[in-house]
Amino acid sequence: MSVLLVEDDPGIALVITAALEAEGFAVAQCDSVAERDRLLAQQQFAAMITDVMLTDGDGIETLGTVRDAAPDMPIIILSAQNTLDTAVRASDTGAFEYFPKPFDIDELARTVRQAVGNSAPRVAGEGDDPVAGLPLVGRSAPMQAVYRMITRVLRNDLTVLVLGESGTGKELVAEAIHQLGQRKSGPFIAVNTAAIPAELIESELFGHEKGAFTGAVARHIGKFEQAHGGTLFLDEIGDMPLDAQTRLLRALQSGRVRRVGGREEISVDVRIVAATNRNLEPMIAAGQFREDLFYRLNVVPITLPPLRERPDDVPALARHFLRAALSEGLPFHSLSDAAAQLLACQPWRGNVRELRNFIYRVALLAREDTINVDSVEPLLREVDSGSSTATGNGFEIAASQWWQADRPGEGAVYDAALAAFERPLFILALRETGGNQLQAARLLGINRNTLRKRLTDLEIDPGVIQR
């Protein structure tokens, strides 16, 4: 059963299409009145969803031709012009339903099913996976903003910098850009720059010739050459040594690389998607990251929200991971609504990665077919207990982890540590005081003007910080 979607915002179109396809509908999509009328002349649709403002006209004023072509087809109208006049105009057309933007994607999908009647198809087992066809899961407003940014880079090769905490799914964004973009037929090569020893990173990225250094017993093709014609994903770019940053910048500027020990430069055609969980701007100020490389990478920034900022996505993610656990040889379980809501209330400091690992553990240990609150609560207590009984307080634990994994070289530790811990410290103080800057400054023992300046520098909006 086919639905015609007429929407000029590619991000919204992507989310709606994924949701309807997960419900079993085939979706034809266009962004103009002319293309809408052409598609209606070619085939029949069970329903039509249309925006008001289209690329070549008004979606409501031109509905007369739609009624002529398909008089019985239910029409659902969307609009960002959330005025009474727009609602009245939509009602006067006899539309089945009117949705002001932003809207609830689940409610829209249910409305489409109601509009077409009980004959609407549904794909068994896919209802909880709202973005089937994408390597990302989530229908929340923050994730819709991410999808909207992804769609804007699919038809070009602009460099993308994906920002977000560890475990938020930055590599999945890179995969989505590749799989849905114009380079999908080429290779997708991912490299974690933090996992490569500093002395080997240039060899990994650019390759080396036989005999270039001790142990180079054969020619090695680097990641740039491997990704020719496709996408190169540089993960944890903030951990790349400065010397390697210089060579990376040169490769990005020239589109050419030279293998270690080689004489010839080799042309490479790659799209670069980089990612980091670190704040690069303070690192630039501390001399730990090249400013010119930052501007070369930060052409299109996409920020992934932490899981605590999109709790509505937790139930869908949990059920998605329960299905994924089958491929790991774990038994299949369903998840009760009460257990799903309990999971949605957790902070998930490790974000989606932590949730996935937790769900795998539940799937391994649970004995009942449906995982309920009684199954989840004891394991959640163990997680909380493990966090609170570790040696030292929370900041000591975080500092210890940072010292072992992220601290820079000699002479730069203090500035880097301040950059790593100042932002979360201020956010915690604002949460403790309900966003009151005067109280937060007193709590921290600093001047209020100093706090306000640092909040501005760190781009922290105290108005959105709640207790």
Side-chain angles (χ1 to χ4, degrees):
M1 189 172 291
S2 297
V3 174
L4 176 59
L5 173 60
V6 192
E7 171 59 63
D8 64 340
D9 187 314
I12 294 176
L14 176 68
V15 174
I16 294 175
T17 298
L20 293 181
E21 288 179 347
E23 294 284 339
F25 291 101
V27 180
Q29 194 266 324
C30 64
D31 62 2
S32 67
V33 171
E35 183 65 9
R36 177 199 70 188
D37 292 344
R38 187 187 69 81
L39 290 172
L40 286 170
Q42 288 182 342
Q43 70 178 99
Q44 292 184 337
F45 294 93
M48 183 179 81
I49 304 171
T50 182
D51 195 4
V52 175
M53 301 304 295
L54 303 173
T55 57
D56 61 350
D58 188 305
I60 291 181
E61 290 182 356
T62 59
L63 282 182
T65 56
V66 175
R67 292 300 188 195
D68 293 339
D72 299 323
M73 180 181 65
I75 298 172
I76 298 168
I77 295 177
L78 314 175
S79 177
Q81 297 177 317
N82 302 334
T83 64
L84 178 59
D85 177 67
T86 303
V88 171
R89 291 174 63 209
S91 176
D92 288 344
T93 67
F96 185 85
E97 188 58 89
Y98 164 71
F99 282 88
K101 297 179 180 178
F103 51 85
D104 186 302
I105 190 67
D106 293 319
E107 185 178 354
L108 176 62
R110 286 193 298 269
T111 300
V112 173
R113 290 181 58 80
Q114 293 170 359
V116 302
N118 294 331
S119 59
R122 183 177 179 87
V123 179
E126 292 188 356
D128 294 321
D129 192 356
V131 284
L134 284 178
L136 292 159
V137 174
R139 292 181 178 178
S140 64
M143 286 306 294
Q144 289 189 41
V146 171
Y147 300 151
R148 191 173 294 114
M149 287 300 299
I150 290 174
T151 60
R152 291 175 180 171
V153 299
L154 296 182
R155 294 179 177 86
N156 55 64
D157 282 334
L158 295 176
T159 300
V160 177
L161 179 61
V162 187
L163 305 168
E165 297 178 6
S166 294
T168 49
K170 295 184 288 294
E171 184 168 352
L172 297 181
V173 171
E175 290 179 4
I177 292 171
H178 177 76
Q179 293 176 14
L180 300 174
Q182 56 191 7
R183 289 178 174 263
K184 60 185 177 183
S185 59
F188 175 82
I189 303 297
V191 53
N192 186 338
T193 58
I196 304 173
E199 64 273 13
L200 296 179
I201 193 166
E202 291 188 26
S203 172
E204 283 297 306
L205 290 179
F206 309 119
H208 64 249
E209 296 290 354
K210 179 180 179 180
F213 50 83
T214 302
V217 296
R219 170 183 285 179
H220 171 68
I221 303 301
K223 302 298 184 183
F224 267 86
E225 289 185 73
Q226 294 176 34
H228 182 74
T231 302
L232 177 60
F233 175 55
L234 300 173
D235 198 8
E236 304 299 350
I237 193 70
D239 296 283
M240 177 177 281
L242 279 170
D243 289 345
Q245 291 178 31
T246 302
R247 288 204 60 186
L248 173 61
L249 176 63
R250 189 179 304 122
L252 296 181
Q253 290 173 332
S254 66
R256 303 174 69 85
V257 299
R258 178 182 296 167
R259 300 185 190 122
V260 177
R263 297 181 178 179
E264 298 180 356
E265 289 193 333
I266 302 163
S267 295
V268 288
D269 174 26
V270 298
R271 185 196 192 138
I272 297 295
V273 180
T276 182
N277 61 4
R278 305 183 70 174
N279 188 345
L280 296 181
E281 293 182 351
M283 295 180 63
I284 293 171
Q288 300 160 359
F289 198 85
R290 291 188 60 119
E291 186 174 20
D292 45 7
L293 177 58
F294 172 74
Y295 290 124
R296 176 67 64 169
L297 295 173
N298 195 40
V299 179
V300 182
I302 298 178
T303 301
L304 265 178
L307 194 53
R308 62 182 173 275
E309 292 181 6
R310 53 184 189 109
D312 291 346
D313 289 335
V314 170
L317 282 163
R319 292 184 170 107
H320 169 78
F321 291 136
L322 282 173
R323 292 192 295 274
L326 289 171
S327 63
E328 303 292 335
L330 298 173
F332 176 75
H333 302 274
S334 59
L335 183 69
S336 73
D337 290 341
Q341 289 307 311
L342 178 60
L343 294 175
C345 295
Q346 304 306 307
W348 300 117
R349 297 176 183 86
N351 293 298
V352 179
R353 182 184 296 120
E354 182 187 3
L355 175 63
R356 180 196 62 195
N357 294 342
F358 180 85
I359 291 297
Y360 279 16
R361 185 181 178 192
V362 173
L364 175 66
L365 299 177
R367 296 182 178 181
E368 61 278 356
D369 293 334
T370 299
I371 295 172
N372 53 38
V373 171
D374 292 338
S375 302
V376 170
E377 279 186 329
L379 296 181
L380 287 175
R381 284 197 295 269
E382 289 182 18
V383 172
D384 292 339
S385 175
S387 299
S388 61
T389 58
T391 302
N393 61 38
F395 275 101
E396 289 174 343
I397 297 168
S400 175
Q401 293 172 344
W402 176 86
W403 185 269
Q404 296 175 29
D406 293 328
R407 71 181 174 97
E410 182 177 351
V413 172
Y414 178 79
D415 288 337
L418 187 63
F421 289 94
E422 187 178 24
R423 181 182 176 86
L425 176 63
F426 285 170
I427 290 175
L428 286 171
L430 287 168
R431 283 180 179 160
E432 179 70 20
T433 59
N436 187 303
Q437 296 181 55
L438 180 59
Q439 294 180 17
R442 289 174 179 170
L443 177 65
L444 293 167
I446 61 176
N447 184 276
R448 182 185 180 185
N449 291 333
T450 301
L451 174 64
R452 294 178 65 181
K453 182 180 184 305
R454 294 305 298 146
L455 293 178
T456 300
D457 294 341
L458 295 169
E459 299 181 348
I460 299 174
D461 183 359
V464 301
I465 305 295
Q466 298 179 354
R467 188 181 296 272

